[in-house]
Amino acid sequence: MDLILNRMDYLQVGVTSQKTMKLIPASRHRATQKVVIGDHDGVVMCFGMKKGEAAAVFKTLPGPKIARLELGGVINTPQEKIFIAAASEIRGFTKRGKQFLSFETNLTESIKAMHISGSDLFLSASYIYNHYCDCKDQHYYLSGDKINDVICLPVERLSRITPVLACQDRVLRVLQGSDVMYAVEVPGPPTVLALHNGNGGDSGEDLLFGTSDGKLALIQITTSKPVRKWEIQNEKKRGGILCIDSFDIVGDGVKDLLVGRDDGMVEVYSFDNANEPVLRFDQMLSESVTSIQGGCVGKDSYDEIVVSTYSGWVTGLTTEPIHKESGPGEELKINQEMQNKISSLRNELEHLQYKVLQERENYQQSSQSSKAKSAVPSFGINDKFTLNKDDASYSLILEVQTAIDNVLIQSDVPIDLLDVDKNSAVVSFSSCDSESNDNFLLATYRCQADTTRLELKIRSIEGQYGTLQAYVTPRIQPKTCQVRQYHIKPLSLHQRTHFIDHDRKGEGVFKSDNISTISILKDVLSKEATKRKINLNISYEINEVSVKHTLKLIHPKLEYQLLLAKKVQLIDALKELQIHEGNTNFLIPEYHCILEEADHLQEEYKKQPAHLERLYGMITDLFIDKFKFKGTNVKTKVPLLLEILDSYDQNALISFFDAA
Amino acid sequence: MTETEIVTSLCPMYGSRFGYALSNGTVGVYDKTSRYWRIKSKNHAMSIHAFDLNSDGVNELITGWSNGKVDARSDRTGEVIFKDNFSSAIAGVVEGDYRMDGHIQLICCSVDGEIRGYLPGTAEMRGNLMDTSAEQDLIRELSQKKQNLLLELRNYEENAKAELASPLNEADGHRGIIPANTRLHTTLSVSLGNETQTAHTELRISTSNDTIIRAVLIFAEGIFTGESHVVHPSIHNLSSSICIPIVPPKDVPVDLHLKAFVGYRSSTQFHVFESTRQLPRFSMYALTSLDPASEPISYVNFTIAERAQRVVVWLGQNFLLPEDTHIQNAPFQVCFTSLRNGGHLHIKIKLSGEITINTDDIDLAGDIIQSMASFFAIEDLQVEADFPVYFEELRKVLVKVDEYHSVHQKLSADMADHSNLIRSLLVGAEDARLMRDMKTMKSRYMELYDLNRDLLNGYKIRCNNHTELLGNLKAVNQAIQRAGRLRVGKPKNQVITACRDAIRSNNINTLFKIMRVGTASS
């Protein structure tokens, strides 16, 4: 059965953060639920849908930006109390909008993540985690890297308190009191945690998490060790995961997995007989999906997925069909509803336009006076700068609440801007003036109308480091632009793994299998030291075996790429044979295989066109760097090396490295 | 009319309308000589075609893009009324009754060989081919508008709040607060260049107080490599003014859309000052002092019924004159130097309204006359012209054309001879074969082989000859066009027809006479 969901936009509030929208439980099954959402203006809004119109239940006054919104209540009763985290304060509201709690925490940073369970409150700021019980401080932990999310395994089922922190350094930290019980290394920086099935699954210990590079996994957190259940790779290169919910939208009695990503993708996974997730539905919205929950909002007895987006849209993907099979009169009514909505919006717009015109005039007038000041309107930019492991490039994602007019990209190191399919902006490269060496790249992206999200792909050169700046100008009056800086690091194409150098006082030891890495590190350290006039002694030990080891590490990749290239070359010829001969029985099995996998192979080859060149580049660098440490320049021998690479044989290569 | 890039395809649309595509990813629709709409994409339009997809009786512009997209756009507004996606680039868009069922389809083909046909929408769909949720989209659009207006209102509110706060200080600069009376001045001038820089037109942008300009974006068509030019000074050289050299490659007026980011040194938010300046048509000519020695020998001469003051206004609008320039009343003379090649340009006006323009560049003379004609709304203008150097070159070209023509005839005759020879050789060889005289046959075939080689060589020569001939004929055609551009209205058409006639009758002297005085009869 295909899952067909229709999009219904309900309402727009201000810009929202991750996990700031919830549905308040209804009194009975499949009755319409109220939506509660908090935005960056600090407004908490609770509304329900009545005849296609959003009717507010309550709305609070503006305040500090709301970072999280959760529901809570006494355990084993409906969780319908609303808690918000704004700056360093936690506030609680009843479902009618009456404030019953205002708790000023002692955290110095503003709260980033929150989890609530009965009277237990788990909070985390950027690096600090705190556990409160009845607003009394219980436990505390300082994390080594940024905390993205916090959750606690269900207390009512496990009768122990096991908080889990999702940290940017690709680790889930499982706590007990104020100490780390154990740390779990995960495949990408985790951005969101959720209990499996909403209650921790069969064991009550099952935890779902999503990563900023788009991976999704289930893990069981037992008291002694983690048990990995399944993991979904991000093969389609979709965005990072921002929110997860469990809800039976398919209607087969098993809760499905609802996932929202930062590229606007909404996905539904259902579970097969082996309890493995299978993608059942996906739909693209145009901006980051910040919260997701299954429930019933638009019309009773029709299940739907409710999502909120970065710019504050609350949208339902409903099972309610758009075209209703009904009497002739009723269709008219639906149309009428729409028309009413449109005309009321039009009226509102007219009124606003008039007001804006007046204000514009005032603004113009104020610019005549010499004392007046003119402030730029601030706007939020939701940005993400991440390394893609697969194609060794960086992606820069910029998202603004209103349409972007243009983006200026400036870099003081040589980088390449790669083409991104999703990006429809017209790019134009400007010549860089010769007088200053600060500009290696100047490019403008002129966006098409209604672009609120822009994705760029950047390829840097390992060892060349500097700053990339993005000047973002949205289409709002008065026109302003904001600059964002991103650092391109010397070892820009290294992903963090979990053995790192150990620092002693005034001394650092770096170890790497790849001599090129060490060479870059050495260059960078001495450059920085000279800049700060620090006396630095660098000594290094080169293990000859390490070169061989690195070559061996590269070997399988290189061999695979070469084989792939060879196979792809053969495809056309084989296809022609197939057509001419009518059958392919005379071909050896290997060629049969190629023919069968032709489409797949071609696709794979198309996806990574420059991969082989990059591997060649790596080997060449390694070759040069190896001899740089010995003090000899071998650049003249590079053509010879390339020749050997062209007719690749591992042993020949190694002996060339040894011999030279 | 001139477009900004190479025109890759054209297609007739409806009545006097036609669609066009450029190599930089632009597609659009013209009605006669005025542009209805255009859009630019980062992809390239591979194929355009006119087809009535929504059955409203008017063709839409169907575009097949290099990224596999196909879209149909309304000929009037450019609004997308239908779109589809292929997995690879589009190879072509055509129409035809592909299934032989009497229905004309729109057929799109991708480079991978995928073909899709589209039948026109039926009348019941009332032209609505997109998703049925058009109303939803409208609501979304209106809400977005509302949100933008609310945001703008809030901006003004916050601004008012900031005003009430304390006077300007350092922290304000960081947040991007600047004095409200900050103005942006732009001036265009001509710079003669120095050792490091060649001569150019200079755009100077400055703020009216101590605020700095972080960066300047200039969007303009046809004068930069891309559609924009960016100036981003290094952090140490930030100041309240920036000079930008501009070298427009052609003498056309260009609109410069400027966006300047204004703030303070430590700002992370900047005000964007937007303004549009027009670069005058003849911005690459610098006013120089009078020097009769430098007067070019070529000239055009004509009389207009305008006061000299009006000519001065025209000069001011089309040239970048220094601010202190004061031109006395007629008669007067002004001199310019081209920044591109150092050529001179003299414009003289007599009391009688007679104008003489001295320049060796016939294109420039044509541009000036056309510019004056449109400025003074002159309908017909007869001009006397003389460009000895250019005419001499043209004469050489015409001689060459004759030569190439005769060579062409000779080569054709040779070829005919050769083909006769081939026939006889072939018959001879076949005869020899039938008579089993292998030796003769072999030698005949050897001869044939040599002849073939000669033919091939001859063909190559003919080819080269032909391209040369075409090139020269193009030059002749251009010369006629140029002679035409020196006149306006009826005399212009007369010159062009008369020149064509002269070429046809191979009367070179008459041709030059026409170019000089405008008519054949004296």
Side-chain angles (χ1 to χ4, degrees):
Chain A
M1 183 196 84
D2 270 341
L3 185 58
I4 297 166
L5 299 177
N6 297 309
R7 178 171 172 179
M8 289 288 280
D9 291 331
Y10 293 135
L11 174 90
Q12 193 179 17
V13 295
V15 177
T16 63
S17 291
Q18 189 190 358
K19 287 188 164 181
T20 48
M21 182 213 62
K22 285 279 173 191
L23 303 184
I24 295 175
S27 45
R28 60 191 165 81
H29 180 61
R30 281 191 157 180
T32 52
Q33 291 170 273
K34 304 274 187 288
V35 181
V36 55
I37 182 165
D39 62 22
H40 281 196
D41 303 332
V43 176
V44 183
M45 166 119 177
C46 178
F47 69 94
M49 296 303 292
K50 274 196 187 121
K51 290 182 189 161
E53 295 268 358
V57 176
F58 71 86
K59 193 175 173 182
T60 67
L61 290 171
K65 166 177 154 180
I66 295 172
R68 284 293 156 100
L69 185 148
E70 292 286 340
L71 296 180
V74 179
I75 285 173
N76 295 328
T77 62
Q79 304 282 302
E80 53 185 23
K81 292 207 160 58
I82 303 156
F83 293 88
I84 59 151
S88 61
E89 192 188 7
I90 301 294
R91 280 186 283 162
F93 298 91
T94 63
K95 63 176 176 177
R96 308 241 172 274
K98 195 169 158 286
Q99 185 168 338
F100 65 87
L101 172 76
S102 170
F103 169 45
E104 181 62 42
T105 63
N106 47 3
L107 293 171
T108 46
E109 298 169 65
S110 51
I111 299 163
K112 291 280 158 60
M114 167 171 74
H115 179 78
I116 286 174
S117 161
S119 51
D120 287 303
L121 176 64
F122 304 88
L123 294 179
S124 77
S126 292
Y127 296 93
I128 309 162
Y129 151 82
N130 246 354
H131 170 204
Y132 300 89
C133 188
D134 286 325
C135 298
K136 277 188 206 77
D137 207 340
Q138 301 286 319
H139 298 291
Y140 167 86
Y141 176 75
L142 183 67
S143 161
D145 208 333
K146 248 190 222 151
I147 303 170
N148 290 330
D149 203 4
V150 59
I151 206 162
C152 179
L153 296 184
V155 181
E156 65 275 23
R157 297 183 61 192
L158 297 176
S159 66
R160 60 183 156 95
I161 294 177
T162 314
V164 182
L165 306 181
C167 302
Q168 183 65 25
D169 54 356
R170 300 206 288 128
V171 166
L172 299 182
R173 294 195 161 81
V174 182
L175 303 182
Q176 190 170 42
S178 295
D179 302 307
V180 177
M181 196 153 71
Y182 57 82
V184 189
E185 199 187 311
V186 292
T191 43
V192 56
L193 300 171
L195 296 175
H196 186 45
N197 270 344
N199 59 6
D202 298 336
S203 62
E205 295 174 325
D206 289 351
L207 186 68
L208 289 162
F209 65 88
T211 68
S212 67
D213 52 0
K215 289 168 188 142
L216 186 67
L218 178 67
I219 199 165
Q220 188 182 352
I221 305 287
T222 67
T223 45
S224 55
K225 62 173 195 321
V227 181
R228 285 160 211 269
K229 295 282 187 69
W230 49 255
E231 194 177 310
I232 304 172
Q233 297 297 326
N234 185 18
E235 267 163 15
K236 286 183 186 151
K237 303 253 180 335
R238 287 178 173 170
I241 294 174
L242 286 182
C243 46
I244 302 174
D245 189 37
S246 296
F247 182 77
D248 180 17
I249 188 81
V250 178
D252 58 358
V254 183
K255 276 191 179 175
D256 308 303
L257 205 55
L258 315 181
V259 176
R261 295 180 186 260
D262 66 8
D263 61 346
M265 190 59 82
V266 176
E267 295 171 326
V268 176
Y269 291 90
S270 53
F271 292 92
D272 62 9
N273 294 336
N275 261 337
E276 291 279 332
V278 186
L279 183 67
R280 286 297 293 272
F281 170 84
D282 54 7
Q283 180 160 355
M284 193 73 173
L285 306 175
S286 55
E287 45 190 316
S288 297
V289 177
T290 48
S291 323
I292 193 164
Q293 197 176 348
C296 176
V297 171
K299 189 157 194 184
D300 53 5
S301 67
Y302 286 107
D303 283 337
E304 66 185 293
I305 301 171
V306 184
V307 297
S308 69
T309 65
Y310 175 71
S311 73
W313 270 107
V314 181
T315 301
L317 296 171
T318 172
T319 50
E320 179 188 4
I322 279 190
H323 303 287
K324 292 191 189 80
E325 291 172 26
S326 57
E330 246 177 276
E331 193 190 343
L332 211 69
K333 215 171 90 193
I334 297 163
N335 257 330
Q336 201 57 46
E337 256 173 37
M338 278 286 195
Q339 291 304 332
N340 285 345
K341 212 168 165 182
I342 289 170
S343 65
S344 82
L345 258 173
R346 285 231 158 98
N347 281 338
E348 227 175 311
L349 269 179
E350 234 165 71
H351 181 68
L352 271 173
Q353 242 146 9
Y354 176 70
K355 222 164 139 189
V356 164
L357 274 179
Q358 266 184 335
E359 287 293 326
R360 251 183 225 171
E361 237 162 64
N362 284 345
Y363 181 73
Q364 287 299 334
Q365 252 160 20
S366 81
S367 72
Q368 303 294 335
S369 102
S370 58
K371 266 179 275 167
K373 291 184 293 181
S374 164
V376 246
S378 60
F379 57 93
I381 299 180
N382 185 13
D383 56 349
K384 196 171 119 178
F385 188 62
T386 47
L387 175 65
N388 300 331
K389 202 173 132 201
D390 305 323
D391 58 355
S393 68
Y394 275 90
S395 63
L396 172 62
I397 296 166
L398 298 165
E399 188 169 19
V400 183
Q401 65 199 102
T402 56
I404 303 175
D405 185 57
N406 66 71
V407 175
L408 163 64
I409 299 287
Q410 181 265 343
S411 163
D412 58 2
V413 282
I415 52 170
D416 284 335
L417 286 178
L418 309 178
D419 192 45
V420 184
D421 281 345
K422 274 183 252 172
N423 169 351
S424 65
V426 178
V427 62
S428 158
F429 294 94
S430 170
S431 56
C432 299
D433 40 347
S434 47
E435 44 127 355
S436 72
N437 287 330
D438 285 4
N439 296 325
F440 268 102
L441 175 90
L442 285 171
T444 55
Y445 280 86
R446 188 168 54 82
C447 299
Q448 312 281 3
D450 307 333
T451 309
T452 56
R453 189 175 185 283
L454 192 69
E455 193 175 331
L456 313 175
K457 229 175 194 186
I458 294 148
R459 181 159 287 159
S460 58
I461 300 168
E462 184 118 301
Q464 306 245 31
Y465 61 104
T467 319
L468 174 81
Q469 299 194 90
Y471 292 84
V472 184
T473 313
R475 285 179 202 224
I476 35 173
Q477 291 293 334
K479 272 265 170 96
T480 57
C481 95
Q482 221 178 85
V483 57
R484 289 286 162 119
Q485 293 192 330
Y486 307 94
H487 295 287
I488 295 183
K489 292 174 182 142
L491 292 174
S492 49
L493 301 180
H494 278 62
Q495 197 182 29
R496 187 185 298 225
T497 52
H498 286 276
F499 68 99
I500 314 180
D501 45 84
H502 45 103
D503 267 298
R504 264 174 281 160
K505 211 176 187 183
E507 194 181 314
V509 181
F510 299 92
K511 285 184 190 167
S512 172
D513 285 335
N514 191 336
I515 294 186
S516 297
T517 307
I518 297 285
S519 163
I520 290 168
L521 268 176
K522 184 193 138 209
D523 288 350
V524 173
L525 285 175
S526 38
K527 217 188 237 175
E528 285 297 313
T530 335
K531 216 190 265 172
R532 291 182 198 160
K533 303 204 172 90
I534 301 171
N535 192 7
L536 188 71
N537 286 319
I538 302 176
S539 62
Y540 33 83
E541 265 172 57
I542 304 292
N543 192 343
E544 285 286 327
V545 187
S546 77
V547 176
K548 213 177 272 179
H549 177 68
T550 311
L551 283 179
K552 271 185 188 151
L553 281 179
I554 298 175
H555 172 70
K557 282 189 186 167
L558 189 59
E559 197 169 44
Y560 178 74
Q561 287 296 327
L562 284 169
L563 197 68
L564 183 66
K566 212 164 120 193
K567 278 183 182 168
V568 169
Q569 264 178 357
L570 280 174
I571 288 175
D572 274 344
L574 287 174
K575 275 201 172 157
E576 199 162 323
L577 267 179
Q578 189 182 17
I579 290 165
H580 274 288
E581 303 296 326
N583 67 47
T584 52
N585 297 337
F586 58 92
L587 289 175
I588 57 169
E590 190 192 334
Y591 288 166
H592 256 298
C593 256
I594 295 179
L595 265 182
E596 267 161 31
E597 292 175 354
D599 289 343
H600 176 72
L601 287 172
Q602 256 162 347
E603 201 172 296
E604 198 176 338
Y605 189 67
K606 222 159 98 184
K607 259 196 260 172
Q608 39 187 21
H611 213 110
L612 204 57
E613 279 76 20
R614 292 185 73 80
L615 287 175
Y616 279 11
M618 256 164 87
I619 294 174
T620 323
D621 280 350
L622 185 69
F623 181 69
I624 293 170
D625 286 328
K626 176 186 168 180
F627 290 94
K628 202 162 102 187
F629 278 104
K630 287 186 177 167
T632 42
N633 190 338
V634 286
K635 284 210 169 125
T636 45
K637 286 185 185 163
V638 168
L640 202 64
L641 174 68
L642 287 177
E643 222 168 87
I644 290 179
L645 282 174
D646 275 340
S647 51
Y648 178 70
D649 172 49
Q650 197 191 359
N651 293 327
L653 187 67
I654 290 175
S655 59
F656 178 79
F657 265 74
D658 288 340
Chain B
M1 53 221 185
T2 330
E3 267 299 336
T4 50
E5 264 291 339
I6 300 160
V7 179
T8 51
S9 55
L10 292 170
C11 74
M13 296 281 297
Y14 177 77
S16 54
R17 272 178 222 149
F18 65 93
Y20 75 102
L22 302 183
S23 63
N24 64 359
T26 306
V27 293
V29 167
Y30 268 95
D31 189 8
K32 289 179 185 155
T33 58
S34 59
R35 189 163 49 214
Y36 254 59
W37 57 266
R38 62 170 167 176
I39 55 113
K40 191 175 174 189
S41 159
K42 67 166 186 167
N43 303 301
H44 300 289
M46 305 304 280
S47 174
I48 58 173
H49 189 80
F51 189 77
D52 184 12
L53 201 61
N54 59 359
S55 309
D56 63 349
V58 181
N59 281 343
E60 282 82 49
L61 184 67
I62 319 288
T63 315
W65 296 94
S66 58
N67 63 343
K69 277 205 174 98
V70 173
D71 56 30
R73 289 170 184 275
S74 150
D75 67 325
R76 257 148 300 170
T77 57
E79 186 193 356
V80 178
I81 61 150
F82 174 77
K83 57 185 171 190
D84 197 10
N85 264 313
F86 282 69
S87 57
S88 59
I90 301 298
V93 181
V94 290
E95 66 176 69
D97 182 7
Y98 193 57
R99 293 190 297 191
M100 308 273 283
D101 57 0
H103 296 293
I104 299 289
Q105 283 183 320
L106 176 73
I107 302 161
C108 299
C109 177
S110 77
V111 292
D112 273 0
E114 188 180 354
I115 296 178
R116 290 184 202 168
Y118 305 88
L119 283 170
T122 50
E124 294 92 77
M125 291 164 85
R126 269 172 279 150
N128 194 3
L129 303 175
M130 298 284 272
D131 268 348
T132 39
S133 56
E135 275 133 342
Q136 280 275 348
D137 287 338
L138 184 64
I139 289 178
R140 208 168 298 148
E141 192 192 314
L142 289 174
S143 303
Q144 188 63 50
K145 253 189 208 153
K146 178 182 150 192
Q147 208 68 17
N148 285 350
L149 288 173
L150 282 173
L151 211 64
E152 193 177 338
L153 269 183
R154 213 181 60 202
N155 291 342
Y156 294 129
E157 261 168 41
E158 301 231 326
N159 202 35
K161 255 189 242 162
E163 238 164 77
L164 292 175
S166 60
L168 209 63
N169 57 33
E170 187 61 31
D172 282 346
H174 190 70
R175 289 198 336 258
I177 297 177
I178 61 167
N181 60 353
T182 306
R183 292 272 181 287
L184 198 71
H185 301 297
T186 56
T187 44
L188 280 165
S189 60
V190 176
S191 160
L192 292 173
N194 47 32
E195 301 87 50
T196 52
Q197 265 188 317
T198 51
H200 55 258
T201 308
E202 189 174 83
L203 173 68
R204 189 187 163 82
I205 303 176
S206 58
T207 64
S208 58
N209 47 33
D210 62 341
T211 49
I212 55 106
I213 300 175
R214 186 66 198 90
V216 179
L217 271 64
I218 308 173
F219 286 88
E221 280 183 306
I223 60 171
F224 306 122
T225 42
E227 60 168 19
S228 70
H229 181 70
V230 181
V231 181
H232 184 273
S234 81
I235 192 88
H236 314 293
N237 297 334
L238 290 176
S239 72
S240 59
S241 78
I242 284 183
C243 290
I244 305 162
I246 295 173
V247 183
K250 276 192 261 177
D251 286 337
V252 281
V254 180
D255 279 333
L256 303 173
H257 302 280
L258 307 171
K259 290 177 201 291
F261 298 169
V262 175
Y264 284 101
R265 217 162 273 273
S266 61
S267 299
T268 53
Q269 288 220 33
F270 298 92
H271 287 255
V272 179
F273 283 76
E274 291 182 312
S275 70
T276 300
R277 274 301 295 257
Q278 196 185 57
L279 197 61
R281 182 185 284 268
F282 304 106
S283 55
M284 285 296 275
Y285 297 87
L287 188 70
T288 46
S289 55
L290 274 178
D291 177 15
S294 70
E295 188 174 295
I297 43 166
S298 311
Y299 69 93
V300 286
N301 197 354
F302 53 93
T303 308
I304 56 168
E306 289 289 343
R307 283 180 297 121
Q309 273 313 313
R310 293 263 291 155
V311 180
V312 174
V313 172
W314 171 81
L315 276 174
Q317 280 195 6
N318 287 279
F319 287 85
L320 288 173
L321 303 174
E323 268 168 38
D324 52 355
T325 314
H326 178 73
I327 297 169
Q328 71 280 32
N329 230 330
F332 66 83
Q333 181 173 11
V334 283
C335 305
F336 295 95
T337 312
S338 164
L339 300 182
R340 293 198 190 93
N341 52 19
H344 292 279
L345 166 71
H346 288 225
I347 301 176
K348 272 179 283 190
I349 296 172
K350 286 188 190 145
L351 212 53
S352 58
E354 187 185 332
I355 299 178
T356 310
I357 298 167
N358 288 69
T359 173
D360 284 329
D361 186 345
I362 189 168
D363 285 321
L364 174 60
D367 283 343
I368 290 177
I369 287 168
Q370 296 302 322
S371 162
M372 277 189 170
S374 63
F375 185 80
F376 299 123
I378 300 170
E379 280 176 10
D380 297 311
L381 184 66
Q382 183 56 282
V383 176
E384 191 192 322
D386 192 17
F387 289 87
V389 182
Y390 182 72
F391 288 169
E392 196 42 49
E393 268 173 39
L394 183 61
R395 191 184 295 275
K396 279 184 199 151
V397 168
L398 285 169
V399 171
K400 266 194 202 154
V401 167
D402 273 349
E403 276 171 21
Y404 284 126
H405 261 302
S406 57
V407 170
H408 177 75
Q409 266 158 14
K410 191 173 154 283
L411 286 172
S412 301
D414 281 358
M415 197 179 61
D417 284 352
H418 279 314
S419 52
N420 281 334
L421 213 57
I422 286 171
R423 212 169 294 140
S424 61
L425 277 175
L426 203 62
V427 171
E430 281 302 288
D431 282 351
R433 189 175 65 86
L434 287 175
M435 290 159 78
R436 296 184 183 276
D437 181 356
M438 288 306 162
K439 206 173 156 199
T440 324
M441 185 194 88
K442 205 173 169 189
S443 74
R444 289 278 178 279
Y445 271 120
M446 286 300 280
E447 278 173 58
L448 199 60
Y449 177 71
D450 290 342
L451 197 60
N452 187 40
R453 209 172 42 206
D454 287 351
L455 261 179
L456 278 178
N457 285 337
Y459 173 74
K460 263 180 211 149
I461 296 169
R462 243 159 35 101
C463 248
N464 288 337
N465 186 57
H466 189 69
T467 29
E468 290 282 328
L469 181 65
L470 277 186
N472 283 318
L473 283 177
K474 198 176 159 196
V476 174
N477 243 323
Q478 263 171 358
I480 297 175
Q481 289 292 340
R482 281 170 174 156
R485 271 181 70 77
L486 294 176
R487 280 90 187 173
V488 182
K490 230 186 263 164
K492 177 180 175 177
N493 297 334
Q494 274 169 9
V495 165
I496 292 176
T497 3
C499 282
R500 294 246 154 85
D501 286 342
I503 294 267
R504 211 168 292 136
S505 56
N506 208 8
N507 195 342
I508 294 183
N509 287 327
T510 322
L511 177 71
F512 286 120
K513 192 177 163 201
I514 297 164
M515 286 188 169
R516 237 174 252 133
V517 299
T519 48
S521 55
S522 52

